[in-house]
Amino acid sequence: LNTFGAQVLYDFAAEPGNNELSIREGETITITNQNIGGGWIEAKNSRGEVGLVPEDYIEVSNGYIYIYIYCMYIRAEDDEWDEEWDDVKSSGGYAESEAGEGGAINRGGAHGSSMKISRNNNTHNKDVIQFIGEVGPVWAYPDYQLDCVVADPKKGSKLYGLKSYIEYQVTPTTTNKPVNHRYKHFDWLYERLLEKFGSAIPIPCLPDKQVAGRFEDEFIKMRMERLQGWMTRMCRHPVISSSEVFQLFLSYKDEKDWKMGKRKAEKDETVGVMVFSTIEPEGLPDLDLIEVEQKCDQFNRFTRAMDDGVKDLLTIGNEHWKRCTGPLPKEYQRIGKAFQNLSSVFTSSGYEGEAALTDALTAAGKTYEEIAQMVAEQPKKDLHFLMETNNEYKGLLGCFPDTVGVHKAAIEKVKEADKLVAAGKITPSDKTTMSKRASTMSYSLQAEMNHFHSNRIYDYNRVMQQYLEQQVKFYEMVKCLNNIKS
Amino acid sequence: LNTFGAQVLYDFAAEPGNNELSIREGETITITNQNIGGGWIEAKNSRGEVGLVPEDYIEVSNGYIYIYIYCMYIRAEDDEWDEEWDDVKSSGGYAESEAGEGGAINRGGAHGSSMKISRNNNTHNKDVIQFIGEVGPVWAYPDYQLDCVVADPKKGSKLYGLKSYIEYQVTPTTTNKPVNHRYKHFDWLYERLLEKFGSAIPIPCLPDKQVAGRFEDEFIKMRMERLQGWMTRMCRHPVISSSEVFQLFLSYKDEKDWKMGKRKAEKDETVGVMVFSTIEPEGLPDLDLIEVEQKCDQFNRFTRAMDDGVKDLLTIGNEHWKRCTGPLPKEYQRIGKAFQNLSSVFTSSGYEGEAALTDALTAAGKTYEEIAQMVAEQPKKDLHFLMETNNEYKGLLGCFPDTVGVHKAAIEKVKEADKLVAAGKITPSDKTTMSKRASTMSYSLQAEMNHFHSNRIYDYNRVMQQYLEQQVKFYEMVKCLNNIKS
């Protein structure tokens, strides 16, 4: 593992003989081992002295609290991370946010105890995880479900026409006032959401970038549709949809507002694992680790199996799509032509009284041509939505291993706590803190699992209903076509 | 062209200076050129002298009148023919049969004048071509349409089980008494019909012989079905169905009756072009040659175009068959499996309240498996009959060029008659005879064309109706399957 630079937030005086390292506020140190446990990490100062320091007293240089219950922020090794390493000024931190920001705890629901998540140090909006007996913790969903419409793609240009781009109109159902966004703005939003919520909430990727032919109508239409799907999914998430950055994206007032909001969002420091620090599991019991682990394992198995299932469906769906838009309608067309050809041959017989037959043959031939067209167009009507939904889920499922991995690592560390207490490396009070933190992560993950499940059921119910309806319509239409002609 | 041996039936004394050859009754001569025209052919006697002889005075050795209006019997060069060359004893002939066998002329129909065809020197049954304004000459169809059922294939054996065979039960609708026949009996019947009627009536080939696996149930079923199709077609033809040999095949009383009938049929001499000699166009006007030629050309073009059309339909039908029984149902099956797999993954989620969704997914999956099976079985229900009928017509259409060719050659010769009269090579009376003969052939061919057309319309109406009905049923069933599940 790499070592990471960190800023010292507060003075800390080492207790002699305890292998600790004294540090001073403002000092820069290097983390040499983040896997110590017990709220401690091993660090090296500029003089080359190595020792343990309390994790709460330091902050990784880019403003993220690097370690949260000994769990490495997995995305830390991404190139993108390195790029931003020095850009963001450090301030704030876990200890701070844990201490401050109380806010109303939503206990008003019929569903028992609950806990809050304060999404941002600078906002007083509160999201709540409610504990519901049946499915466990769930996010508190707003009464009014936010949605938005992505529409009306328009070609714009700048630099006197040297650079052209497509601008989409995004209209939130709340304000009903459209704002314009280019793909790169969506991409910016994605990066912000990933940075801020990525440890707790799987943020699905945006639809692929495509350079060649990106102004072709078909491509623009498809990208718009996928951006719509992505935005709808984000809107549906209570934590994301009520976040300041998302609200900014949906309803900035003017260019100045947008630019200022952007700058502020980019400076947001409650990002990465810090998102957990804003969850205060007040009044909620600590969760049973073994039960949580089992749930995680089950969810892990589930997402993996679903991922396989979804990929399988996508593979066969793609094959079926190709057959339905390629060889099959071509064959129907050829059958249609063969019937019509036979009809015109029969017409040339010079024999009387076969008008009924030649009409029937022509009609059958035309029916086949119509069927060919219907077959070729059908995938867009039924398979398309099924494929898009599964494609979306493929992306979403790809995010879960990271999210679950973050949590699993935290649990592992908590399990080591007993040994560490026994060895006198941490105090029982440290262990309690660790358990609380892990419990908070578990509540968050479970709320996220339940959010995923309920959305999955909603989405698949919808897609299956639409799919089967379109199938019935198709066969009804083909049957009618045949019926008329027979 | 080969030369053929011939028997001299009557004395003929050559007129000097006319390039004629004197011949005597009983003498064997060799035909050196049958394309002379005007009722003359060139022959060589045993002394090597070459000259013209009247065609009516000679008979080709095998009992066939070799030339009928200078038209070669096209099948003469088949191996089969050569084999039988010496087997059949010569007797009878065109002159004889033209002179004898008057019989009642059917003028009783509502359809104007008519002409008879006596099918056999030894029978007094008469078939009639009726002249009907709308479509031209048609065969006189019996009031009661003969049909038969080919069923109940049974394995038999002889030579103490050394040789085994399949025997089919053939039950004519007239007697309703079943008779048994092996494939080789059908083949014998085919040979007799081809020999006897082949010049005037296209006799479609029997279903292919197949040696390997000929006792497999599928093959036996298919052969039986095709033998049924062939027999039905023969039954429908008024000339064939009322012929002695066909009646024998359908309703022989016992083995002895069958064997005697066989021997008699094999000795039948009213075969080949002789079948035309049994048609007496009494009271019917000679046909306009140009009009007849145009009709023939049109029919020729028609059969060729239909042949192309039928072959095209067979090719694409075969491809579609393969797709419908191979990749397509496999794909549907895989889609079905993918849905069901997703359903069982969803069931394993541990999340409450998705029974409706998993039920829907399972149902959709099963529907796809059912559709897969239906798609795979559908060709047997719709495409099969369409393919069989077109296959039958492909065979039938393959016979027409010969039949039409025989007629076309005859017309060509008649067209030369004027020149021959002018050159003093034949008398005007000869020319009248030639025209009459050609006219007889034309009537016969036109009756056959009309028979073909009316059968074609009947068959294709039936096949299209059945096909479209099955299509509707199929889509109705698939729609219902989907409907139940959606």
Side-chain angles (χ1 to χ4, degrees):
Chain A
L1 285 168
N2 294 336
T3 55
F4 297 94
Q7 295 282 319
V8 176
L9 301 171
Y10 318 103
D11 289 354
F12 171 69
E15 266 186 36
N18 240 348
N19 198 25
E20 292 171 358
L21 181 70
S22 290
I23 45 175
R24 293 193 72 87
E25 191 182 339
E27 191 182 348
T28 298
I29 55 170
T30 306
I31 294 161
T32 50
N33 185 357
Q34 66 268 46
N35 294 317
I36 301 300
W40 299 87
I41 56 168
E42 192 191 69
K44 188 166 71 178
N45 63 20
S46 58
R47 293 177 301 278
E49 295 162 352
V50 174
L52 300 177
V53 295
E55 60 153 347
D56 294 345
Y57 282 55
I58 60 157
E59 184 192 44
V60 173
S61 299
N62 67 343
Y64 290 80
I65 288 295
Y66 187 69
I67 290 148
Y68 187 86
I69 316 183
Y70 318 112
C71 153
M72 190 182 63
Y73 180 40
I74 290 167
R75 284 192 191 79
E77 288 167 283
D78 287 355
D79 291 341
E80 182 188 77
W81 177 286
D82 294 338
E83 237 175 77
E84 290 180 12
W85 195 256
D86 302 313
D87 296 344
V88 185
K89 245 196 114 189
S90 79
S91 84
Y94 174 67
E96 227 177 291
S97 55
E98 193 178 43
E101 306 289 322
I105 295 157
N106 185 336
R107 292 183 194 267
H111 304 301
S113 56
S114 62
M115 61 179 207
K116 71 175 172 70
I117 172 170
S118 74
R119 288 159 295 100
N120 195 303
N121 288 339
N122 306 316
T123 172
H124 291 280
N125 296 336
K126 306 292 170 207
D127 282 307
V128 191
I129 300 177
Q130 299 181 323
F131 192 85
I132 295 175
E134 221 174 300
V135 295
V138 294
W139 300 113
Y141 291 89
D143 292 335
Y144 181 76
Q145 170 73 64
L146 176 64
D147 204 357
C148 71
V149 177
V150 182
D152 203 17
K154 278 205 183 85
K155 207 167 167 178
S157 66
K158 54 183 195 174
L159 298 174
Y160 307 99
L162 270 176
K163 265 190 143 181
S164 57
Y165 53 85
I166 300 296
E167 211 163 43
Y168 301 89
Q169 203 181 64
V170 183
T171 313
T173 50
T174 39
T175 63
N176 214 26
K177 274 172 69 182
V179 292
N180 290 326
H181 281 299
R182 296 167 54 183
Y183 178 83
K184 73 171 208 180
H185 298 168
F186 286 93
D187 199 39
W188 175 87
L189 175 63
Y190 165 71
E191 292 294 344
R192 292 291 80 67
L193 295 179
L194 184 65
E195 196 175 55
K196 186 169 181 62
F197 299 112
S199 295
I201 300 166
I203 309 292
C205 290
L206 278 185
D208 285 343
K209 287 176 190 184
Q210 183 192 313
V211 180
R214 71 194 163 103
F215 294 132
E216 281 163 25
D217 288 350
E218 269 298 300
F219 169 72
I220 291 167
K221 205 183 141 200
M222 194 193 71
R223 168 172 277 181
M224 188 179 77
E225 199 188 329
R226 290 183 172 176
L227 287 173
Q228 172 75 71
W230 190 83
M231 281 302 288
T232 298
R233 192 160 299 281
M234 295 301 102
C235 281
R236 269 201 239 153
H237 201 293
V239 178
I240 292 168
S241 66
S242 58
S243 70
E244 206 177 342
V245 62
F246 194 75
Q247 289 290 337
L248 169 77
F249 184 86
L250 272 186
S251 43
Y252 65 88
K253 287 180 198 74
D254 48 36
E255 273 305 302
K256 196 185 154 201
D257 190 30
W258 168 242
K259 281 191 175 163
M260 276 179 62
K262 257 184 87 176
R263 216 168 300 143
K264 190 179 171 194
E266 280 159 6
K267 282 182 183 162
D268 185 5
E269 286 146 2
T270 317
V271 293
V273 283
M274 278 302 292
V275 84
F276 292 118
S277 77
T278 60
I279 302 173
E280 183 71 46
E282 275 178 29
L284 279 175
D286 282 2
L287 290 164
D288 179 50
L289 276 194
I290 293 173
E291 205 181 302
V292 166
E293 262 200 303
Q294 282 172 349
K295 277 201 176 178
C296 278
D297 286 348
Q298 185 188 22
F299 190 72
N300 233 357
R301 279 195 303 275
F302 174 80
T303 51
R304 250 181 254 156
M306 182 169 169
D307 194 48
D308 288 346
V310 161
K311 280 174 183 162
D312 195 34
L313 200 57
L314 284 169
T315 305
I316 177 66
N318 262 323
E319 273 179 45
H320 194 54
W321 186 294
K322 275 182 203 156
R323 189 182 308 281
C324 286
T325 53
L328 200 57
K330 255 183 211 157
E331 206 163 272
Y332 283 132
Q333 222 163 29
R334 279 173 62 203
I335 295 174
K337 287 252 179 292
F339 275 134
Q340 286 180 83
N341 176 41
L342 209 58
S343 174
S344 71
V345 169
F346 282 8
T347 305
S348 79
S349 72
Y351 192 82
E352 298 288 322
E354 56 181 312
L357 173 60
T358 54
D359 286 355
L361 277 165
T362 301
K366 282 185 180 159
T367 300
Y368 263 100
E369 288 189 328
E370 283 166 307
I371 290 176
Q373 213 180 332
M374 278 176 62
V375 166
E377 283 165 9
Q378 187 59 14
K380 279 184 200 155
K381 291 182 188 164
D382 52 19
L383 213 50
H384 174 69
F385 189 41
L386 183 71
M387 297 291 279
E388 284 297 303
T389 303
N390 277 288
N391 211 36
E392 237 185 303
Y393 269 87
K394 190 181 105 182
L396 198 51
L397 288 163
C399 301
F400 270 107
D402 279 9
T403 311
V404 175
V406 167
H407 182 263
K408 209 179 169 68
I411 297 284
E412 285 304 314
K413 292 302 169 189
V414 172
K415 278 159 80 183
E416 289 171 18
D418 276 333
K419 277 189 227 161
L420 292 167
V421 171
K425 296 218 169 176
I426 60 169
T427 64
S429 151
D430 286 338
K431 193 200 144 191
T432 306
T433 308
M434 285 171 67
S435 291
K436 269 201 194 314
R437 289 174 188 174
S439 185
T440 304
M441 288 175 82
S442 296
Y443 272 114
S444 169
L445 181 61
Q446 284 184 58
E448 200 45 38
M449 288 181 196
N450 287 327
H451 178 75
F452 175 77
H453 282 313
S454 77
N455 273 278
R456 170 180 59 80
I457 292 169
Y458 175 81
D459 287 336
Y460 276 87
N461 262 327
R462 213 160 66 104
V463 84
M464 286 310 292
Q465 196 181 345
Q466 201 259 15
Y467 187 69
L468 295 176
E469 269 172 25
Q470 286 298 327
Q471 288 273 305
V472 172
K473 262 193 201 166
F474 172 73
Y475 288 112
E476 171 71 18
M477 271 168 71
V478 178
K479 199 206 80 180
C480 283
L481 271 179
N482 275 298
N483 235 342
I484 295 162
K485 310 298 167 63
S486 73
Chain B
L1 285 168
N2 295 335
T3 56
F4 298 95
Q7 295 283 322
V8 177
L9 300 171
Y10 319 104
D11 290 354
F12 171 70
E15 266 188 37
N18 242 351
N19 198 25
E20 292 169 1
L21 180 70
S22 290
I23 44 175
R24 293 194 72 88
E25 189 180 344
E27 190 183 349
T28 299
I29 56 170
T30 305
I31 294 161
T32 50
N33 186 356
Q34 66 269 47
N35 294 317
I36 301 300
W40 298 87
I41 57 169
E42 192 192 68
K44 187 166 74 176
N45 63 20
S46 57
R47 292 178 302 278
E49 295 164 351
V50 175
L52 301 176
V53 296
E55 58 152 351
D56 293 346
Y57 283 55
I58 61 157
E59 184 192 44
V60 173
S61 299
N62 68 345
Y64 290 78
I65 288 295
Y66 188 70
I67 290 150
Y68 186 84
I69 315 185
Y70 319 113
C71 154
M72 189 181 64
Y73 180 40
I74 289 168
R75 285 190 191 79
E77 287 166 281
D78 288 356
D79 292 340
E80 181 187 77
W81 176 284
D82 294 339
E83 239 175 72
E84 291 180 12
W85 195 256
D86 303 314
D87 296 343
V88 186
K89 247 196 112 188
S90 79
S91 84
Y94 174 70
E96 230 177 284
S97 53
E98 191 180 46
E101 306 287 327
I105 296 158
N106 186 337
R107 291 184 193 265
H111 304 296
S113 57
S114 62
M115 63 181 206
K116 74 176 168 74
I117 172 170
S118 72
R119 286 159 296 99
N120 194 304
N121 288 339
N122 306 316
T123 173
H124 291 282
N125 297 335
K126 307 289 171 214
D127 282 306
V128 190
I129 300 178
Q130 299 181 321
F131 192 83
I132 295 175
E134 221 174 299
V135 295
V138 293
W139 301 113
Y141 291 89
D143 293 334
Y144 180 77
Q145 171 72 64
L146 177 64
D147 202 356
C148 70
V149 177
V150 182
D152 204 17
K154 279 207 183 83
K155 207 168 167 177
S157 68
K158 57 182 194 176
L159 298 174
Y160 305 100
L162 269 176
K163 264 190 145 182
S164 58
Y165 53 84
I166 300 294
E167 211 162 44
Y168 300 89
Q169 202 181 63
V170 184
T171 313
T173 49
T174 40
T175 63
N176 214 25
K177 275 171 68 181
V179 293
N180 290 327
H181 281 299
R182 296 169 51 183
Y183 178 82
K184 73 171 210 180
H185 298 168
F186 285 94
D187 198 40
W188 175 87
L189 175 64
Y190 166 70
E191 292 295 344
R192 293 290 80 66
L193 295 179
L194 183 65
E195 195 174 59
K196 186 168 179 67
F197 298 114
S199 296
I201 300 166
I203 309 290
C205 290
L206 277 185
D208 284 343
K209 287 178 191 180
Q210 181 191 315
V211 179
R214 70 194 165 102
F215 294 133
E216 282 164 25
D217 288 351
E218 269 299 298
F219 169 71
I220 291 166
K221 206 183 140 200
M222 193 192 73
R223 170 173 275 180
M224 188 178 78
E225 199 189 330
R226 288 183 172 176
L227 287 173
Q228 172 75 69
W230 190 83
M231 282 301 290
T232 299
R233 192 160 299 282
M234 295 301 103
C235 281
R236 270 201 237 153
H237 200 291
V239 178
I240 290 167
S241 64
S242 58
S243 70
E244 204 177 343
V245 62
F246 194 74
Q247 287 292 336
L248 169 77
F249 185 85
L250 271 187
S251 45
Y252 66 88
K253 287 181 198 73
D254 48 36
E255 274 305 303
K256 197 185 153 200
D257 190 30
W258 168 243
K259 282 190 175 162
M260 276 179 62
K262 258 184 86 174
R263 215 167 301 142
K264 190 179 170 195
E266 280 159 5
K267 282 182 182 160
D268 185 6
E269 285 148 359
T270 318
V271 293
V273 283
M274 278 301 293
V275 83
F276 293 117
S277 77
T278 61
I279 302 172
E280 186 69 48
E282 275 180 29
L284 281 176
D286 282 1
L287 291 165
D288 178 51
L289 275 195
I290 291 171
E291 204 182 304
V292 166
E293 263 200 303
Q294 281 171 348
K295 277 201 178 181
C296 278
D297 287 347
Q298 184 188 24
F299 190 73
N300 234 357
R301 279 194 303 274
F302 174 80
T303 52
R304 250 182 253 158
M306 181 170 170
D307 195 46
D308 289 345
V310 161
K311 281 174 183 163
D312 194 32
L313 200 57
L314 284 170
T315 305
I316 178 65
N318 263 323
E319 273 178 47
H320 194 54
W321 186 293
K322 276 181 203 158
R323 189 181 307 279
C324 287
T325 53
L328 200 56
K330 255 184 211 157
E331 208 163 271
Y332 284 132
Q333 223 162 29
R334 280 174 61 203
I335 295 174
K337 288 253 180 290
F339 276 135
Q340 286 179 84
N341 176 42
L342 209 58
S343 174
S344 68
V345 169
F346 282 8
T347 305
S348 79
S349 73
Y351 192 82
E352 298 289 321
E354 59 180 310
L357 173 60
T358 54
D359 285 356
L361 277 165
T362 302
K366 284 188 178 154
T367 300
Y368 262 101
E369 288 189 328
E370 284 167 306
I371 290 176
Q373 212 182 332
M374 278 176 62
V375 166
E377 282 166 10
Q378 188 60 13
K380 279 185 198 153
K381 292 182 188 163
D382 53 19
L383 213 50
H384 174 69
F385 188 41
L386 184 71
M387 297 292 278
E388 285 296 303
T389 303
N390 276 289
N391 211 38
E392 236 187 303
Y393 269 86
K394 190 181 105 180
L396 197 54
L397 289 163
C399 301
F400 269 108
D402 278 8
T403 311
V404 175
V406 167
H407 181 263
K408 206 176 170 70
I411 297 285
E412 285 304 314
K413 292 302 170 190
V414 172
K415 278 159 80 184
E416 288 172 17
D418 276 334
K419 278 190 225 159
L420 292 167
V421 171
K425 296 218 170 177
I426 60 169
T427 64
S429 150
D430 287 338
K431 193 201 143 192
T432 306
T433 307
M434 284 170 67
S435 291
K436 268 201 197 308
R437 289 174 188 175
S439 185
T440 303
M441 288 175 82
S442 296
Y443 272 115
S444 168
L445 181 62
Q446 283 184 59
E448 200 45 35
M449 288 179 197
N450 287 327
H451 178 76
F452 174 79
H453 281 314
S454 77
N455 273 278
R456 171 180 59 80
I457 293 168
Y458 174 82
D459 288 336
Y460 276 87
N461 263 325
R462 215 160 63 105
V463 84
M464 286 310 292
Q465 196 181 344
Q466 201 260 13
Y467 186 70
L468 294 176
E469 271 172 22
Q470 286 297 327
Q471 289 272 306
V472 172
K473 264 192 199 168
F474 171 73
Y475 288 111
E476 171 72 19
M477 273 167 71
V478 178
K479 197 207 79 179
C480 284
L481 269 180
N482 274 300
N483 237 341
I484 294 162
K485 310 297 166 65
S486 73

